[in-house]
Amino acid sequence: MELFEERGGLTRSLAFLEDRLFRCSPFDSLRGSLIQSPSERGFSVRSQPVLFVFLIVIAVMVAVPCVPSLLLGAAPGITLRDSVYTLPEILVEAERFSDLQALRNSPGFVAIIPMDDASRRVTSAAEYLGQAVGCHVRSTGSYGAYSTASIRGSSAKQVRVYIDGVPLHQAETGVMDLADLPLASVERIEVYRGFGPFDLSGSSIGGVINVVTESPGKHDRGHVSLSLGSLFTRRLQGSYAFGATGWNILALGSALSSEGDYDFLDTNGTPYNPTDDAMVARINNQIKEYEALLKVSGPLAEGILVASNQFYYRRQGLPGYSTVQSETERLTKTYDLLHLGWRRTFDHALAWELNLGVHGLYQINHFEDRRPKKAGVKPDEKNRTVSYGAVGRLQLPLPRIRQALRGMVSLSREGFRPEETFLETVRGEEQIRRTFAVSLEDEIHLVHDRLRLIPSGRYERYTDRMTPFKEVRADLATYFRGMTETELTHSLSTGTISLVANPGKGFTVKADYGRHHRVPAMMELFGYRGSVLPNPGLQPEVGLNRDVGVGWEKASSSGTRVALECVYFWSDVDQLIMFVYVPFAQASQAINIDSADIEGYEVSLSLGSWRGFTLSGNLTSLRALNTGPVSYLNGKHLPNRPGLEAFGRLRWAGRGISAFYEFSYIGGNYWNPYNTRAPNNSGPLFDIRRFHNVGATVPAGIGGTDFTLEVRNLADERFEDIMGYPLPGRSVYGTVAVDF
């Protein structure tokens, strides 16, 4: 009551604040500073990104007419009275955000790729990721070929990949092969651009890909599909979900095989002489793939337990470079992922939520060359990776002070042991990485929840250990002499600050600023027998990321929804690791030598549904330049980063029938860091890619049965993502699916 004793003074103070804040006094100063020259101001937008982002958000907030009244707690034109009234307590109840709503409401920018039609199309996770804004995918061939992802101009090593929050990123090489990702069991794929969520177990410069598998659900349902198509491709999928005594169970299986013998243009190793070019078939490109998932969820200890086991097996030929194809090399990959998670919301005054999880992953990669072992023949390799870990996540809402705290603690261990067979089998040195990570995020609600300030911090500790080398080349003994019982530790702290503004009228403004890193892979640190020299002095790559964007969404009473998002991003990446060739050792070595300046913008559009039509598309413009100290690389474009990339999809559905058209565009990009002419004599750039896909689904006349026909690469264009590894031309697939 003492606070309101000077009620008249309070009213005058508020009026004074209103005059000072909203009648342009500080904004006159701001306007004056903005029209000054950079030298007069003493800073630039690029040099003061935090202030720049803050000013943008505040400007948008002030531009909305209703914001001043919200700040003052009264509508315009209403005078504050001198009386104080005590109102009864009002209880407001609202439905909990769904997972998708929570993702869209979170800081940072995330692309969500639904897998609604995946069971009716013969495609891969890599191809779906290539449709996401800001994400560029490179592939060495057809289905199952080695593929990697780059987000906002990052390298593949700067992108972390997870399945249901469990890390798949291998510490040995640092690169995740997207062909290893399952698809039959996937519900959606989340692509976090530039800034990953705080509750995943590692920092990332480029971004994060999180694959979310199907949930068992509460209703019995089943699905079976059979697909046939080009390259003698066959696929059979089946799933069934049911509930029993409060527990929900999902069982899923998939099997695929393909010959992969598509035609391509062989230059015979003479790109400047077209007279000996010929269309030949890709050989030794067969693939067999099997996938299974068992997932169970149910009540346990007043919470929910989710247990899943994912099995994956792929055996394929490795045709190699286009002009010198291999007939004998094969690769077999197998992994089994076990994940147990438990969550509970405690019904106390704060309603805090606890999530606990443990996981284990066992993986074998087996390379074999079936030629007799002699000089010039590669040895067979069998590399085993075993990893396991635990994670705890806590969410603590604090409504009285309009904040929400979230924290994460994780521990993991990953062990890698290679094995080579030439004339005899030799087991390699064991390499172990132990990781400890803890993160904390605070969500602060301001201006009647129209502005949220979200700072977060993370601490990570990596401890890498390698047992002594048993056998090395004699001429490299000096390099490996000090590597016995080697143990390295990297302790890193990173942080991010985000602003999310909801000024109204369907607009959302987001801005993020943060520093991230990539710890060197163990192969970069410890080398690999005789082909890669060790460099234990390597430092982590460091990236300073910023972005700011505006989103607008509007839904009509008729069900039509329009969503538009525009984002500008820029990053400075230092201490980039690259491999250099050491001539006298005839081996390569990783060193910190490069840096890069990356900037671009992303535009996403979604429209639907209007008279059965839905339209979605995105565009990414990118400029990535080398700013390192090497004179012949400085100022050059980073390779394999297209300057322009776009994707569009038009779909119509009605009366049980649906049809779609997809268009993919990838602009020319440099094939090497020197920006020199490519061996295919087409200049320094890869050719521009334009892909067209069409398809339709019609009911078969039997309950729950439909037929889908899809044509990929309709114009039969022939391209390469990686020099010497051609992509397939036109392909046709048909799928019969039954839902019950």
Side-chain angles (χ1 to χ4, degrees), residues 390-446:
V391 62
R393 301 180 177 94
L394 176 67
Q395 299 187 42
L396 180 63
L398 302 171
R400 292 186 179 276
I401 58 174
R402 311 191 69 79
Q403 295 188 40
L405 293 177
R406 292 181 283 267
M408 185 275 301
V409 178
S410 69
L411 295 167
S412 64
R413 179 191 186 275
E414 181 175 341
F416 170 81
R417 181 182 290 274
E419 180 182 294
E420 289 188 358
T421 301
F422 194 71
L423 298 178
E424 61 181 10
T425 299
V426 177
R427 300 194 68 184
E429 305 76 24
E430 184 180 19
Q431 301 177 11
I432 298 173
R433 168 165 288 178
R434 294 182 176 88
T435 305
F436 168 74
V438 57
S439 65
L440 181 64
E441 180 179 86
D442 185 11
E443 182 173 325
I444 306 169
H445 294 251
L446 304 169

Side-chain angles (χ1 to χ4, degrees), residues 306-332:
V306 179
S308 65
N309 190 83
Q310 180 126 31
F311 172 81
Y312 181 81
Y313 172 89
R314 183 174 83 247
R315 182 175 176 83
Q316 63 187 127
L318 299 178
Y321 199 76
S322 57
T323 57
V324 190
Q325 298 193 76
S326 169
E327 301 181 13
T328 59
E329 296 179 0
R330 301 191 66 85
L331 177 66
T332 302

